[in-house]
Amino acid sequence: MQLFNERQFGMASMCFQKAGDEHREKWAREADLVANGERLFSGNWRAQNFFVQASEIYGSIGKHEKAASCLIKSRDFKKAGWSC
């Protein structure tokens, strides 16, 4: 959790994976995708792809509002409306 709180999401994901904590592993992985997407965000397809991947992970762990937020950032407004 310390790595996660320090925004070292990739490393946190790996630690959660080794610990067998699938829920937190996915949470850290999607947080890493969102952080990368926000860092690259300039309307390019790569940043949008990070947000789409993060939204899928959020949806899989039941965080539908966060999934919709990521879809909005990816500019897929139609899917965002359906995910809520």
Side-chain angles (χ1 to χ4, degrees), residues 40-71:
L40 293 172
F41 191 72
S42 62
N44 69 26
W45 69 270
R46 190 166 175 214
Q48 291 174 341
N49 192 37
F50 283 126
F51 290 125
V52 170
Q53 289 178 26
S55 75
E56 291 169 358
I57 296 170
Y58 269 133
S60 75
I61 61 173
K63 295 183 179 270
H64 301 291
E65 195 170 304
K66 292 268 192 185
S69 176
C70 287
L71 287 169

Side-chain angles (χ1 to χ4, degrees), residues 2-76:
Q2 182 177 353
L3 288 169
F4 186 90
N5 292 334
E6 292 174 357
R7 301 184 55 84
Q8 299 293 323
F9 303 121
M11 294 299 291
S13 177
M14 187 176 10
C15 290
F16 292 137
Q17 180 185 26
K18 288 184 179 188
D21 190 340
E22 187 177 336
H23 180 79
R24 286 188 175 155
E25 176 197 351
K26 287 181 179 183
W27 188 21
R29 195 169 64 214
E30 63 72 25
D32 191 43
L33 290 167
V34 170
N36 287 330
E38 288 175 348
R39 193 170 35 252
L40 293 172
F41 191 72
S42 62
N44 69 26
W45 69 270
R46 190 166 175 214
Q48 291 174 341
N49 192 37
F50 283 126
F51 290 125
V52 170
Q53 289 178 26
S55 75
E56 291 169 358
I57 296 170
Y58 269 133
S60 75
I61 61 173
K63 295 183 179 270
H64 301 291
E65 195 170 304
K66 292 268 192 185
S69 176
C70 287
L71 287 169
I72 289 169
K73 289 178 183 178
S74 76
R75 299 177 190 233
D76 192 343

